């Protein structure tokens, strides 16, 4: 079946690419034996097809970049390496961060910054850090409790929206947040409206406190806005996902706690206001799950050592 899809992809069949992508999302290792053929066929997109690339495939990509024969493909090739997360990919990205390969002058970011597309980074201490967890759960929308004392957004006066109310005492939550080091309750309140325009930060504690960070900066293009009610829904953890890659920013039922984000645009892991490092990713809430006509997706982030949470938003 996969052979058949690969041969269809070779002649430009978009449906076949879609099917391969679904396999890469549910069980990426099934594609490992076929990735060499995809590379031979110059099928470099989506790079997520290459999540389970093995050492020989990674070496081929690294050699191709070092050979410098296809500098116009550098962006795609670096994305493949980032999504593979392979140690050989990591050492190559580190090397190119100081010795840029052919074509790097056309890139918007340095080679090592590509790691964020694959959900990892190299910290100031030189150690690799995974920004995403390996366990993921469906996030099912429930009626949000209405509180009379709900704080409101200092910019648009909309009542704040509870984008997450989690407790690591729940084993699913504990597993989904394991990579963050968080222990206890985690409530994230944000402005559903203003978060669509800029990353909004809040300060959070393991007792479930959440306050608007006074350092949030209102973008100059965000004019006066009418207060509006936040979504009437808030997510609750459901059954485990088969893999960490099944969040969907588009489909109904795509909201996911934990695992890896489904970015609509380029990866946008929020930087922590406390330490400047990228925050840990904790989940995605799809607009399609909040409203019949909803679009885009909210992405939630946490940096436990600094006590900061963040919400940002992307749309097509
Ligand atoms: Zn607001
Ligand atoms: Zn921090």
């Amino acid at each position: 079946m996969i052979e058949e899809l690969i041969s269809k992809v070779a002649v430009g069949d978009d449906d076949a690419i879609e099917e391969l992508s679904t396999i890469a999302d549910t069980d990426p290792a099934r594609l490992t034996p076929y990735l060499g053929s995809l590379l031979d066929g110059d099928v470099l997109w989506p790079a997520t097809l290459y999540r389970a690339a093995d050492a020989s495939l990674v070496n081929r990509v690294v050699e191709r970049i070092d050979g410098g024969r296809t500098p116009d493909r550098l962006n795609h090739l670096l994305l493949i390496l980032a999504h593979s997360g392979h140690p050989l990919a990591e050492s190559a990205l580190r090397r190119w961060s100081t010795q840029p390969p052919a074509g790097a002058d056309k890139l918007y970011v340095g080679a090592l910054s590509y790691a964020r597309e694959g959900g990892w980074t190299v910290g100031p201490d030189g150690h690799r850090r995974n920004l995403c967890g390996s366990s993921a759960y469906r996030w099912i929308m429930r009626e949000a409790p209405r509180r009379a004392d709900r704080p409101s957004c200092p910019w648009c006066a909309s009542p704040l929206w509870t984008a997450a109310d989690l407790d690591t005492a729940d084993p699913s939550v504990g597993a989904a947040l394991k990579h963050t080091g968080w222990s206890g309750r985690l409530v994230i309140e944000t402005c559903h409206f203003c978060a669509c325009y800029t990353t909004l930060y809040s300060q959070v504690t393991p007792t479930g406190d959440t306050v608007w960070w006074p350092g949030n900066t209102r973008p100059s293009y965000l004019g006066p806005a009418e207060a509006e009610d936040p979504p009437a829904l808030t997510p609750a953890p459901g059954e485990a996902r088969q893999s960490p890659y099944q969040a969907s920013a588009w489909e109904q039922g795509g909201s996911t706690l934990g695992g890896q984000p489904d970015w609509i645009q380029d990866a946008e892991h929020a930087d922590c206001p406390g330490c400047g490092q990228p925050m840990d990713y904790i989940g995605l809430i799809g607009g399609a799950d909040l409203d019949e006509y909803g679009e885009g997706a909210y992405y939630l982030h946490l940096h436990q050592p600094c006590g900061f949470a963040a919400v940002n938003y992307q749309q097509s």
Side-chain angles (χ1 to χ4, degrees), residues 73-108:
R73 298 292 221 203
L74 182 60
N75 178 55
H76 285 98
L77 295 169
L78 290 175
L79 286 172
I80 288 172
L81 294 179
H83 281 288
S84 81
H86 197 283
L88 293 170
E90 180 188 336
S91 64
L93 292 181
R94 285 174 184 266
R95 177 164 58 84
W96 293 323
S97 70
T98 54
Q99 300 160 295
D105 53 320
K106 298 279 195 307
L107 303 177
Y108 295 107

PDB file of all heavy atoms in Angstrom, residues 73-108:
ATOM      1  N   ARG A  73      17.144  24.207  -2.418  1.00  0.00           N
ATOM      2  CA  ARG A  73      16.360  23.245  -1.642  1.00  0.00           C
ATOM      3  C   ARG A  73      16.732  23.257  -0.158  1.00  0.00           C
ATOM      4  O   ARG A  73      16.235  22.441   0.617  1.00  0.00           O
ATOM      5  CB  ARG A  73      16.600  21.819  -2.168  1.00  0.00           C
ATOM      6  CG  ARG A  73      16.187  21.619  -3.591  1.00  0.00           C
ATOM      7  CD  ARG A  73      14.705  21.703  -3.661  1.00  0.00           C
ATOM      8  NE  ARG A  73      14.151  20.706  -4.555  1.00  0.00           N
ATOM      9  CZ  ARG A  73      12.973  20.838  -5.128  1.00  0.00           C
ATOM     10  NH1 ARG A  73      12.267  21.932  -4.898  1.00  0.00           N
ATOM     11  NH2 ARG A  73      12.510  19.903  -5.894  1.00  0.00           N
ATOM     12  N   LEU A  74      17.640  24.163   0.208  1.00  0.00           N
ATOM     13  CA  LEU A  74      18.181  24.115   1.568  1.00  0.00           C
ATOM     14  C   LEU A  74      17.086  24.199   2.630  1.00  0.00           C
ATOM     15  O   LEU A  74      17.096  23.459   3.613  1.00  0.00           O
ATOM     16  CB  LEU A  74      19.210  25.238   1.760  1.00  0.00           C
ATOM     17  CG  LEU A  74      19.894  25.264   3.127  1.00  0.00           C
ATOM     18  CD1 LEU A  74      20.655  23.964   3.394  1.00  0.00           C
ATOM     19  CD2 LEU A  74      20.849  26.451   3.242  1.00  0.00           C
ATOM     20  N   ASN A  75      16.127  25.109   2.434  1.00  0.00           N
ATOM     21  CA  ASN A  75      15.049  25.269   3.418  1.00  0.00           C
ATOM     22  C   ASN A  75      14.336  23.943   3.667  1.00  0.00           C
ATOM     23  O   ASN A  75      14.158  23.513   4.807  1.00  0.00           O
ATOM     24  CB  ASN A  75      14.079  26.343   2.918  1.00  0.00           C
ATOM     25  CG  ASN A  75      12.901  26.547   3.854  1.00  0.00           C
ATOM     26  OD1 ASN A  75      13.078  26.802   5.034  1.00  0.00           O
ATOM     27  ND2 ASN A  75      11.691  26.403   3.329  1.00  0.00           N
ATOM     28  N   HIS A  76      13.946  23.261   2.587  1.00  0.00           N
ATOM     29  CA  HIS A  76      13.235  21.982   2.728  1.00  0.00           C
ATOM     30  C   HIS A  76      14.103  20.923   3.398  1.00  0.00           C
ATOM     31  O   HIS A  76      13.633  20.156   4.235  1.00  0.00           O
ATOM     32  CB  HIS A  76      12.794  21.473   1.356  1.00  0.00           C
ATOM     33  CG  HIS A  76      11.622  22.219   0.801  1.00  0.00           C
ATOM     34  ND1 HIS A  76      11.749  23.232  -0.109  1.00  0.00           N
ATOM     35  CD2 HIS A  76      10.308  22.100   1.049  1.00  0.00           C
ATOM     36  CE1 HIS A  76      10.553  23.713  -0.389  1.00  0.00           C
ATOM     37  NE2 HIS A  76       9.661  23.040   0.288  1.00  0.00           N
ATOM     38  N   LEU A  77      15.370  20.902   3.019  1.00  0.00           N
ATOM     39  CA  LEU A  77      16.264  19.868   3.568  1.00  0.00           C
ATOM     40  C   LEU A  77      16.498  20.089   5.062  1.00  0.00           C
ATOM     41  O   LEU A  77      16.529  19.135   5.842  1.00  0.00           O
ATOM     42  CB  LEU A  77      17.593  19.859   2.798  1.00  0.00           C
ATOM     43  CG  LEU A  77      17.474  19.451   1.315  1.00  0.00           C
ATOM     44  CD1 LEU A  77      18.780  19.737   0.570  1.00  0.00           C
ATOM     45  CD2 LEU A  77      17.092  17.970   1.186  1.00  0.00           C
ATOM     46  N   LEU A  78      16.624  21.360   5.472  1.00  0.00           N
ATOM     47  CA  LEU A  78      16.812  21.648   6.900  1.00  0.00           C
ATOM     48  C   LEU A  78      15.558  21.296   7.691  1.00  0.00           C
ATOM     49  O   LEU A  78      15.631  20.812   8.826  1.00  0.00           O
ATOM     50  CB  LEU A  78      17.172  23.129   7.107  1.00  0.00           C
ATOM     51  CG  LEU A  78      18.561  23.553   6.612  1.00  0.00           C
ATOM     52  CD1 LEU A  78      18.733  25.072   6.755  1.00  0.00           C
ATOM     53  CD2 LEU A  78      19.670  22.832   7.373  1.00  0.00           C
ATOM     54  N   LEU A  79      14.386  21.527   7.096  1.00  0.00           N
ATOM     55  CA  LEU A  79      13.138  21.157   7.774  1.00  0.00           C
ATOM     56  C   LEU A  79      13.073  19.641   7.993  1.00  0.00           C
ATOM     57  O   LEU A  79      12.644  19.170   9.041  1.00  0.00           O
ATOM     58  CB  LEU A  79      11.925  21.619   6.960  1.00  0.00           C
ATOM     59  CG  LEU A  79      11.642  23.126   7.002  1.00  0.00           C
ATOM     60  CD1 LEU A  79      10.536  23.480   6.009  1.00  0.00           C
ATOM     61  CD2 LEU A  79      11.231  23.555   8.405  1.00  0.00           C
ATOM     62  N   ILE A  80      13.501  18.895   6.978  1.00  0.00           N
ATOM     63  CA  ILE A  80      13.523  17.429   7.112  1.00  0.00           C
ATOM     64  C   ILE A  80      14.406  17.025   8.294  1.00  0.00           C
ATOM     65  O   ILE A  80      14.015  16.213   9.136  1.00  0.00           O
ATOM     66  CB  ILE A  80      14.020  16.782   5.801  1.00  0.00           C
ATOM     67  CG1 ILE A  80      12.938  16.900   4.724  1.00  0.00           C
ATOM     68  CG2 ILE A  80      14.432  15.332   6.016  1.00  0.00           C
ATOM     69  CD1 ILE A  80      13.377  16.462   3.341  1.00  0.00           C
ATOM     70  N   LEU A  81      15.584  17.633   8.372  1.00  0.00           N
ATOM     71  CA  LEU A  81      16.493  17.297   9.475  1.00  0.00           C
ATOM     72  C   LEU A  81      15.885  17.685  10.815  1.00  0.00           C
ATOM     73  O   LEU A  81      15.982  16.945  11.800  1.00  0.00           O
ATOM     74  CB  LEU A  81      17.845  17.991   9.274  1.00  0.00           C
ATOM     75  CG  LEU A  81      18.647  17.508   8.058  1.00  0.00           C
ATOM     76  CD1 LEU A  81      19.953  18.292   7.940  1.00  0.00           C
ATOM     77  CD2 LEU A  81      18.933  16.007   8.133  1.00  0.00           C
ATOM     78  N   ALA A  82      15.238  18.854  10.856  1.00  0.00           N
ATOM     79  CA  ALA A  82      14.625  19.312  12.113  1.00  0.00           C
ATOM     80  C   ALA A  82      13.556  18.327  12.567  1.00  0.00           C
ATOM     81  O   ALA A  82      13.489  17.958  13.742  1.00  0.00           O
ATOM     82  CB  ALA A  82      14.022  20.704  11.925  1.00  0.00           C
ATOM     83  N   HIS A  83      12.692  17.897  11.637  1.00  0.00           N
ATOM     84  CA  HIS A  83      11.609  16.986  12.018  1.00  0.00           C
ATOM     85  C   HIS A  83      12.130  15.605  12.381  1.00  0.00           C
ATOM     86  O   HIS A  83      11.510  14.903  13.178  1.00  0.00           O
ATOM     87  CB  HIS A  83      10.557  16.904  10.911  1.00  0.00           C
ATOM     88  CG  HIS A  83       9.632  18.077  10.918  1.00  0.00           C
ATOM     89  ND1 HIS A  83       8.667  18.242  11.893  1.00  0.00           N
ATOM     90  CD2 HIS A  83       9.532  19.153  10.110  1.00  0.00           C
ATOM     91  CE1 HIS A  83       8.003  19.366  11.670  1.00  0.00           C
ATOM     92  NE2 HIS A  83       8.517  19.947  10.584  1.00  0.00           N
ATOM     93  N   SER A  84      13.262  15.210  11.806  1.00  0.00           N
ATOM     94  CA  SER A  84      13.810  13.896  12.168  1.00  0.00           C
ATOM     95  C   SER A  84      14.280  13.910  13.621  1.00  0.00           C
ATOM     96  O   SER A  84      14.201  12.904  14.315  1.00  0.00           O
ATOM     97  CB  SER A  84      14.975  13.520  11.251  1.00  0.00           C
ATOM     98  OG  SER A  84      16.175  14.158  11.673  1.00  0.00           O
ATOM     99  N   GLY A  85      14.759  15.058  14.066  1.00  0.00           N
ATOM    100  CA  GLY A  85      15.282  15.171  15.430  1.00  0.00           C
ATOM    101  C   GLY A  85      16.454  14.222  15.689  1.00  0.00           C
ATOM    102  O   GLY A  85      16.864  14.029  16.831  1.00  0.00           O
ATOM    103  N   HIS A  86      16.990  13.631  14.659  1.00  0.00           N
ATOM    104  CA  HIS A  86      18.043  12.611  14.791  1.00  0.00           C
ATOM    105  C   HIS A  86      19.337  13.248  15.332  1.00  0.00           C
ATOM    106  O   HIS A  86      19.651  14.389  14.993  1.00  0.00           O
ATOM    107  CB  HIS A  86      18.297  11.989  13.410  1.00  0.00           C
ATOM    108  CG  HIS A  86      19.023  10.692  13.465  1.00  0.00           C
ATOM    109  ND1 HIS A  86      20.382  10.603  13.678  1.00  0.00           N
ATOM    110  CD2 HIS A  86      18.576   9.411  13.348  1.00  0.00           C
ATOM    111  CE1 HIS A  86      20.741   9.326  13.679  1.00  0.00           C
ATOM    112  NE2 HIS A  86      19.663   8.581  13.484  1.00  0.00           N
ATOM    113  N   PRO A  87      20.080  12.526  16.188  1.00  0.00           N
ATOM    114  CA  PRO A  87      21.340  13.088  16.710  1.00  0.00           C
ATOM    115  C   PRO A  87      22.307  13.527  15.603  1.00  0.00           C
ATOM    116  O   PRO A  87      23.021  14.519  15.774  1.00  0.00           O
ATOM    117  CB  PRO A  87      21.943  11.923  17.517  1.00  0.00           C
ATOM    118  CG  PRO A  87      20.794  11.049  17.872  1.00  0.00           C
ATOM    119  CD  PRO A  87      19.774  11.197  16.776  1.00  0.00           C
ATOM    120  N   LEU A  88      22.313  12.812  14.478  1.00  0.00           N
ATOM    121  CA  LEU A  88      23.195  13.220  13.371  1.00  0.00           C
ATOM    122  C   LEU A  88      22.707  14.520  12.746  1.00  0.00           C
ATOM    123  O   LEU A  88      23.508  15.354  12.305  1.00  0.00           O
ATOM    124  CB  LEU A  88      23.254  12.123  12.302  1.00  0.00           C
ATOM    125  CG  LEU A  88      23.934  10.816  12.730  1.00  0.00           C
ATOM    126  CD1 LEU A  88      23.712   9.732  11.679  1.00  0.00           C
ATOM    127  CD2 LEU A  88      25.426  11.050  12.966  1.00  0.00           C
ATOM    128  N   ALA A  89      21.392  14.692  12.721  1.00  0.00           N
ATOM    129  CA  ALA A  89      20.824  15.952  12.227  1.00  0.00           C
ATOM    130  C   ALA A  89      21.203  17.080  13.177  1.00  0.00           C
ATOM    131  O   ALA A  89      21.593  18.173  12.754  1.00  0.00           O
ATOM    132  CB  ALA A  89      19.304  15.829  12.111  1.00  0.00           C
ATOM    133  N   GLU A  90      21.105  16.783  14.467  1.00  0.00           N
ATOM    134  CA  GLU A  90      21.450  17.801  15.472  1.00  0.00           C
ATOM    135  C   GLU A  90      22.902  18.243  15.319  1.00  0.00           C
ATOM    136  O   GLU A  90      23.187  19.454  15.308  1.00  0.00           O
ATOM    137  CB  GLU A  90      21.215  17.226  16.874  1.00  0.00           C
ATOM    138  CG  GLU A  90      21.552  18.215  17.977  1.00  0.00           C
ATOM    139  CD  GLU A  90      21.512  17.576  19.363  1.00  0.00           C
ATOM    140  OE1 GLU A  90      20.812  16.554  19.554  1.00  0.00           O
ATOM    141  OE2 GLU A  90      22.189  18.111  20.253  1.00  0.00           O
ATOM    142  N   SER A  91      23.824  17.295  15.156  1.00  0.00           N
ATOM    143  CA  SER A  91      25.228  17.718  15.078  1.00  0.00           C
ATOM    144  C   SER A  91      25.488  18.499  13.793  1.00  0.00           C
ATOM    145  O   SER A  91      26.289  19.439  13.782  1.00  0.00           O
ATOM    146  CB  SER A  91      26.188  16.535  15.251  1.00  0.00           C
ATOM    147  OG  SER A  91      26.036  15.627  14.211  1.00  0.00           O
ATOM    148  N   ALA A  92      24.777  18.139  12.706  1.00  0.00           N
ATOM    149  CA  ALA A  92      24.959  18.905  11.461  1.00  0.00           C
ATOM    150  C   ALA A  92      24.418  20.326  11.616  1.00  0.00           C
ATOM    151  O   ALA A  92      25.064  21.299  11.208  1.00  0.00           O
ATOM    152  CB  ALA A  92      24.271  18.192  10.308  1.00  0.00           C
ATOM    153  N   LEU A  93      23.235  20.464  12.237  1.00  0.00           N
ATOM    154  CA  LEU A  93      22.667  21.811  12.428  1.00  0.00           C
ATOM    155  C   LEU A  93      23.587  22.662  13.300  1.00  0.00           C
ATOM    156  O   LEU A  93      23.774  23.852  13.049  1.00  0.00           O
ATOM    157  CB  LEU A  93      21.269  21.728  13.058  1.00  0.00           C
ATOM    158  CG  LEU A  93      20.146  21.119  12.212  1.00  0.00           C
ATOM    159  CD1 LEU A  93      18.825  21.133  12.976  1.00  0.00           C
ATOM    160  CD2 LEU A  93      19.976  21.853  10.888  1.00  0.00           C
ATOM    161  N   ARG A  94      24.169  22.032  14.317  1.00  0.00           N
ATOM    162  CA  ARG A  94      25.122  22.767  15.176  1.00  0.00           C
ATOM    163  C   ARG A  94      26.324  23.234  14.353  1.00  0.00           C
ATOM    164  O   ARG A  94      26.769  24.375  14.475  1.00  0.00           O
ATOM    165  CB  ARG A  94      25.625  21.861  16.300  1.00  0.00           C
ATOM    166  CG  ARG A  94      24.632  21.621  17.429  1.00  0.00           C
ATOM    167  CD  ARG A  94      25.238  20.583  18.368  1.00  0.00           C
ATOM    168  NE  ARG A  94      24.365  20.192  19.457  1.00  0.00           N
ATOM    169  CZ  ARG A  94      24.386  20.747  20.668  1.00  0.00           C
ATOM    170  NH1 ARG A  94      25.236  21.717  20.938  1.00  0.00           N
ATOM    171  NH2 ARG A  94      23.567  20.329  21.604  1.00  0.00           N
ATOM    172  N   ARG A  95      26.832  22.360  13.509  1.00  0.00           N
ATOM    173  CA  ARG A  95      28.004  22.704  12.693  1.00  0.00           C
ATOM    174  C   ARG A  95      27.673  23.854  11.742  1.00  0.00           C
ATOM    175  O   ARG A  95      28.425  24.814  11.612  1.00  0.00           O
ATOM    176  CB  ARG A  95      28.442  21.451  11.913  1.00  0.00           C
ATOM    177  CG  ARG A  95      29.594  21.643  10.958  1.00  0.00           C
ATOM    178  CD  ARG A  95      30.202  20.304  10.543  1.00  0.00           C
ATOM    179  NE  ARG A  95      29.252  19.384   9.915  1.00  0.00           N
ATOM    180  CZ  ARG A  95      28.922  19.392   8.620  1.00  0.00           C
ATOM    181  NH1 ARG A  95      29.427  20.315   7.831  1.00  0.00           N
ATOM    182  NH2 ARG A  95      28.061  18.510   8.141  1.00  0.00           N
ATOM    183  N   TRP A  96      26.503  23.781  11.090  1.00  0.00           N
ATOM    184  CA  TRP A  96      26.139  24.819  10.123  1.00  0.00           C
ATOM    185  C   TRP A  96      25.798  26.145  10.797  1.00  0.00           C
ATOM    186  O   TRP A  96      25.740  27.169  10.122  1.00  0.00           O
ATOM    187  CB  TRP A  96      24.949  24.347   9.279  1.00  0.00           C
ATOM    188  CG  TRP A  96      25.270  23.194   8.388  1.00  0.00           C
ATOM    189  CD1 TRP A  96      26.440  22.976   7.714  1.00  0.00           C
ATOM    190  CD2 TRP A  96      24.417  22.084   8.069  1.00  0.00           C
ATOM    191  NE1 TRP A  96      26.365  21.809   6.998  1.00  0.00           N
ATOM    192  CE2 TRP A  96      25.133  21.242   7.197  1.00  0.00           C
ATOM    193  CE3 TRP A  96      23.111  21.726   8.430  1.00  0.00           C
ATOM    194  CZ2 TRP A  96      24.590  20.062   6.692  1.00  0.00           C
ATOM    195  CZ3 TRP A  96      22.567  20.563   7.934  1.00  0.00           C
ATOM    196  CH2 TRP A  96      23.311  19.734   7.073  1.00  0.00           C
ATOM    197  N   SER A  97      25.530  26.111  12.122  1.00  0.00           N
ATOM    198  CA  SER A  97      25.227  27.385  12.786  1.00  0.00           C
ATOM    199  C   SER A  97      26.468  28.271  12.815  1.00  0.00           C
ATOM    200  O   SER A  97      26.365  29.493  12.896  1.00  0.00           O
ATOM    201  CB  SER A  97      24.653  27.150  14.185  1.00  0.00           C
ATOM    202  OG  SER A  97      25.643  26.665  15.050  1.00  0.00           O
ATOM    203  N   THR A  98      27.659  27.671  12.740  1.00  0.00           N
ATOM    204  CA  THR A  98      28.881  28.488  12.673  1.00  0.00           C
ATOM    205  C   THR A  98      29.525  28.441  11.289  1.00  0.00           C
ATOM    206  O   THR A  98      30.281  29.332  10.933  1.00  0.00           O
ATOM    207  CB  THR A  98      29.915  28.028  13.736  1.00  0.00           C
ATOM    208  OG1 THR A  98      30.137  26.625  13.581  1.00  0.00           O
ATOM    209  CG2 THR A  98      29.409  28.308  15.132  1.00  0.00           C
ATOM    210  N   GLN A  99      29.211  27.383  10.516  1.00  0.00           N
ATOM    211  CA  GLN A  99      29.757  27.288   9.151  1.00  0.00           C
ATOM    212  C   GLN A  99      28.596  27.097   8.195  1.00  0.00           C
ATOM    213  O   GLN A  99      28.291  25.972   7.801  1.00  0.00           O
ATOM    214  CB  GLN A  99      30.708  26.092   9.051  1.00  0.00           C
ATOM    215  CG  GLN A  99      31.888  26.185  10.012  1.00  0.00           C
ATOM    216  CD  GLN A  99      32.519  24.809  10.231  1.00  0.00           C
ATOM    217  OE1 GLN A  99      31.904  23.895  10.786  1.00  0.00           O
ATOM    218  NE2 GLN A  99      33.745  24.657   9.784  1.00  0.00           N
ATOM    219  N   PRO A 100      27.898  28.177   7.846  1.00  0.00           N
ATOM    220  CA  PRO A 100      26.656  28.051   7.070  1.00  0.00           C
ATOM    221  C   PRO A 100      26.887  27.370   5.722  1.00  0.00           C
ATOM    222  O   PRO A 100      27.882  27.647   5.051  1.00  0.00           O
ATOM    223  CB  PRO A 100      26.208  29.498   6.878  1.00  0.00           C
ATOM    224  CG  PRO A 100      26.925  30.291   7.924  1.00  0.00           C
ATOM    225  CD  PRO A 100      28.226  29.573   8.151  1.00  0.00           C
ATOM    226  N   PRO A 101      25.968  26.479   5.347  1.00  0.00           N
ATOM    227  CA  PRO A 101      26.093  25.774   4.067  1.00  0.00           C
ATOM    228  C   PRO A 101      25.675  26.665   2.897  1.00  0.00           C
ATOM    229  O   PRO A 101      25.111  27.750   3.098  1.00  0.00           O
ATOM    230  CB  PRO A 101      25.120  24.602   4.224  1.00  0.00           C
ATOM    231  CG  PRO A 101      24.081  25.106   5.171  1.00  0.00           C
ATOM    232  CD  PRO A 101      24.780  26.071   6.093  1.00  0.00           C
ATOM    233  N   ALA A 102      25.919  26.186   1.682  1.00  0.00           N
ATOM    234  CA  ALA A 102      25.528  26.927   0.476  1.00  0.00           C
ATOM    235  C   ALA A 102      24.026  27.168   0.482  1.00  0.00           C
ATOM    236  O   ALA A 102      23.250  26.249   0.757  1.00  0.00           O
ATOM    237  CB  ALA A 102      25.930  26.127  -0.762  1.00  0.00           C
ATOM    238  N   GLY A 103      23.634  28.399   0.223  1.00  0.00           N
ATOM    239  CA  GLY A 103      22.216  28.752   0.187  1.00  0.00           C
ATOM    240  C   GLY A 103      21.727  29.374   1.480  1.00  0.00           C
ATOM    241  O   GLY A 103      20.619  29.890   1.550  1.00  0.00           O
ATOM    242  N   ALA A 104      22.560  29.343   2.540  1.00  0.00           N
ATOM    243  CA  ALA A 104      22.126  29.840   3.847  1.00  0.00           C
ATOM    244  C   ALA A 104      21.869  31.350   3.833  1.00  0.00           C
ATOM    245  O   ALA A 104      21.096  31.860   4.648  1.00  0.00           O
ATOM    246  CB  ALA A 104      23.160  29.493   4.918  1.00  0.00           C
ATOM    247  N   ASP A 105      22.508  32.068   2.894  1.00  0.00           N
ATOM    248  CA  ASP A 105      22.301  33.522   2.822  1.00  0.00           C
ATOM    249  C   ASP A 105      20.861  33.861   2.426  1.00  0.00           C
ATOM    250  O   ASP A 105      20.401  34.978   2.635  1.00  0.00           O
ATOM    251  CB  ASP A 105      23.292  34.145   1.829  1.00  0.00           C
ATOM    252  CG  ASP A 105      23.243  33.466   0.467  1.00  0.00           C
ATOM    253  OD1 ASP A 105      23.119  32.224   0.436  1.00  0.00           O
ATOM    254  OD2 ASP A 105      23.316  34.164  -0.559  1.00  0.00           O
ATOM    255  N   LYS A 106      20.128  32.876   1.883  1.00  0.00           N
ATOM    256  CA  LYS A 106      18.730  33.124   1.474  1.00  0.00           C
ATOM    257  C   LYS A 106      17.733  32.767   2.592  1.00  0.00           C
ATOM    258  O   LYS A 106      16.533  32.953   2.433  1.00  0.00           O
ATOM    259  CB  LYS A 106      18.393  32.274   0.241  1.00  0.00           C
ATOM    260  CG  LYS A 106      19.230  32.582  -0.985  1.00  0.00           C
ATOM    261  CD  LYS A 106      18.694  33.810  -1.714  1.00  0.00           C
ATOM    262  CE  LYS A 106      19.245  33.955  -3.108  1.00  0.00           C
ATOM    263  NZ  LYS A 106      20.726  33.914  -3.171  1.00  0.00           N
ATOM    264  N   LEU A 107      18.230  32.210   3.687  1.00  0.00           N
ATOM    265  CA  LEU A 107      17.327  31.792   4.761  1.00  0.00           C
ATOM    266  C   LEU A 107      17.001  32.969   5.671  1.00  0.00           C
ATOM    267  O   LEU A 107      17.789  33.906   5.774  1.00  0.00           O
ATOM    268  CB  LEU A 107      17.966  30.674   5.598  1.00  0.00           C
ATOM    269  CG  LEU A 107      18.404  29.406   4.868  1.00  0.00           C
ATOM    270  CD1 LEU A 107      19.088  28.453   5.857  1.00  0.00           C
ATOM    271  CD2 LEU A 107      17.216  28.729   4.193  1.00  0.00           C
ATOM    272  N   TYR A 108      15.850  32.882   6.347  1.00  0.00           N
ATOM    273  CA  TYR A 108      15.468  33.954   7.269  1.00  0.00           C
ATOM    274  C   TYR A 108      16.058  33.747   8.655  1.00  0.00           C
ATOM    275  O   TYR A 108      16.166  34.683   9.435  1.00  0.00           O
ATOM    276  CB  TYR A 108      13.944  34.040   7.363  1.00  0.00           C
ATOM    277  CG  TYR A 108      13.304  34.444   6.053  1.00  0.00           C
ATOM    278  CD1 TYR A 108      12.614  33.526   5.273  1.00  0.00           C
ATOM    279  CD2 TYR A 108      13.429  35.758   5.605  1.00  0.00           C
ATOM    280  CE1 TYR A 108      12.047  33.912   4.066  1.00  0.00           C
ATOM    281  CE2 TYR A 108      12.865  36.151   4.404  1.00  0.00           C
ATOM    282  CZ  TYR A 108      12.178  35.220   3.633  1.00  0.00           C
ATOM    283  OH  TYR A 108      11.627  35.598   2.443  1.00  0.00           O
TER     284      TYR A 108
END
